Amino acid sequence: CKQEMLQKKNAVLVDGVILNGPIMDLKAGEKFVEEACKIIMEEVIRKADDVTEKVCEWRAPETLKQILDLEMRDTGESHQKLLQLCQDVIQYSVKTSHPRFFNQLYAGIDYYSLVARFITEALNPSVYTYEVSPVFLLVEEAVIKKMIEFIGWEEGDGIFNPGGSVSNMYAMNLARYKFCPEIKEKGLSGLPRLVLFASEECHYSMKKAASFLGIGTENVYFIKTDERGKMIPEELEKQVQRARKEGSAPFLVCATAGTTVLGAFDPLDKIADICEKHDLWLHVDVS
């Protein structure tokens, strides 16, 4: 039976290894997708706003490992066992769309975005060239254009990042490149000690970015905040002058619009004036 399937699929075999993709029963695969979608529809979407359902069927880690049976085996699992695994994954996960789930970064279920996610997952595009992803490249371009309009610019460009940490790291790298373009070819050697400034209430990723980029966490100067968690511009001015007296090279100020703990917005206009005065790149970490 396996040999017949290999011949039917025109499989290319080298030393017993199939080189041209997985060999599977297409009808069985289609049926599995259909049945799995029914489970998702029933257990996730239809129950999303049901207050009688639990937010989470909590189990201790060791217990949950036994229930889910997550061992990676050399052989595949049966159709029915995979469907049961789908059911178990849903049952023991946190229901982030539940009306009584309260946590940051969540806002219930968005049915239209969910369908879009189904489509992108099914098509599995890579948005690096128009040739392989014509529709999604145009979608990306349209969304960036609209976001630029929100800011109030007539033109500009942008990229989508996987999260705030990477966004802050890209911003720090961009500011450093603007300050010393030769770093791209020559690296950090021969450069002065680079210093950047951020609020005491800034996101932890500023230190992480300084570490990853070779700037060093000690070269992140944290600026005092007021009782509402906002950066104090006068303190920023003092720290910039301090860095210059030390012989360091200030190159970046990271302001925050919506801090993690207090939701504070730094006084951006006053900070921007200081940045203009000292020729510093201003990055705003926006929540």
Side-chain angles (χ1 to χ4, degrees):
C1 181
K2 183 178 179 182
Q3 190 61 38
E4 288 177 5
M5 187 179 292
L6 291 174
Q7 291 173 352
K8 186 178 179 181
K9 301 292 183 183
N10 297 316
V12 177
L13 288 173
V14 176
D15 296 332
V17 178
I18 302 166
L19 297 184
N20 58 334
I23 302 300
M24 62 176 66
D25 185 334
L26 296 182
K27 291 296 181 184
E30 289 171 6
K31 184 171 178 58
F32 176 76
V33 171
E34 186 179 336
E35 293 182 16
C37 283
K38 287 179 183 177
I39 293 173
I40 294 169
M41 190 69 199
E42 187 61 38
E43 299 300 322
V44 179
I45 298 172
R46 288 207 174 108
K47 293 182 178 180
D49 61 350
D50 188 348
V51 294
T52 64
E53 293 288 325
K54 289 184 177 182
V55 175
C56 179
E57 289 272 0
W58 183 258
R59 296 291 187 278
E62 292 306 317
T63 305
L64 193 56
K65 285 179 185 177
Q66 293 177 358
I67 293 172
L68 296 179
D69 184 18
L70 299 175
E71 182 183 344
M72 306 291 280
R73 298 182 176 86
D74 293 334
T75 56
E77 302 289 1
S78 69
H79 184 108
Q80 206 54 45
K81 187 167 183 180
L82 289 172
L83 287 175
Q84 184 59 52
L85 183 59
C86 292
Q87 190 90 34
D88 291 342
V89 166
I90 293 169
Q91 181 178 350
Y92 296 106
S93 291
V94 177
K95 312 304 187 295
T96 62
S97 298
H98 195 286
R100 296 200 172 124
F101 173 78
F102 300 102
N103 194 274
Q104 71 271 25
L105 311 179
Y106 293 91
I109 193 168
D110 184 330
Y111 301 100
Y112 305 98
S113 295
L114 184 59
V115 170
R117 288 289 293 272
F118 287 161
I119 292 171
T120 55
E121 290 300 318
L123 290 173
N124 192 26
S126 290
V127 192
Y128 43 71
T129 64
Y130 183 81
E131 286 77 10
V132 297
S133 195
V135 175
F136 293 109
L137 192 141
L138 293 179
V139 168
E140 182 182 57
E141 191 178 64
V143 174
I144 290 174
K145 182 175 180 290
K146 178 56 67 174
M147 295 184 76
I148 288 168
E149 290 174 5
F150 283 145
I151 296 171
W153 295 344
E154 293 183 1
E155 59 179 349
D157 205 346
I159 56 175
F160 290 100
N161 304 327
S165 289
V166 171
S167 297
N168 282 334
M169 190 175 345
Y170 282 169
M172 193 178 294
N173 187 61
L174 184 62
R176 185 175 64 176
Y177 178 76
K178 177 68 166 54
F179 181 77
C180 45
E182 66 274 14
I183 193 172
K184 188 172 182 180
E185 288 78 28
K186 297 181 179 179
L188 291 169
S189 60
L191 288 179
R193 178 188 174 215
L194 298 176
V195 170
L196 63 108
F197 309 90
S199 153
E200 288 178 332
E201 298 290 331
C202 76
H203 195 258
Y204 67 85
S205 60
M206 295 309 296
K207 286 181 72 173
K208 183 167 72 173
S211 172
F212 278 16
L213 292 174
I215 293 169
T217 57
E218 290 184 1
N219 296 320
V220 181
Y221 284 23
F222 294 103
I223 311 303
K224 292 179 181 178
T225 57
D226 62 19
E227 68 280 358
R228 296 181 64 187
K230 300 189 294 181
M231 185 192 295
I232 302 171
E234 294 78 13
E235 292 296 326
L236 172 61
E237 177 71 41
K238 289 179 185 177
Q239 291 297 331
V240 173
Q241 292 180 3
R242 171 196 157 195
R244 292 206 189 281
K245 288 178 182 177
E246 292 172 347
S248 302
F251 75 104
L252 166 69
V253 174
C254 176
T256 308
T259 60
T260 304
V261 179
L262 296 176
F265 282 67
D266 290 337
L268 302 182
D269 288 340
K270 292 181 179 179
I271 292 171
D273 290 341
I274 295 172
C275 289
E276 188 173 22
K277 175 183 173 183
H278 293 282
D279 194 24
L280 301 173
W281 183 279
L282 173 58
H283 167 61
V284 184
D285 180 10
V286 182
S287 173

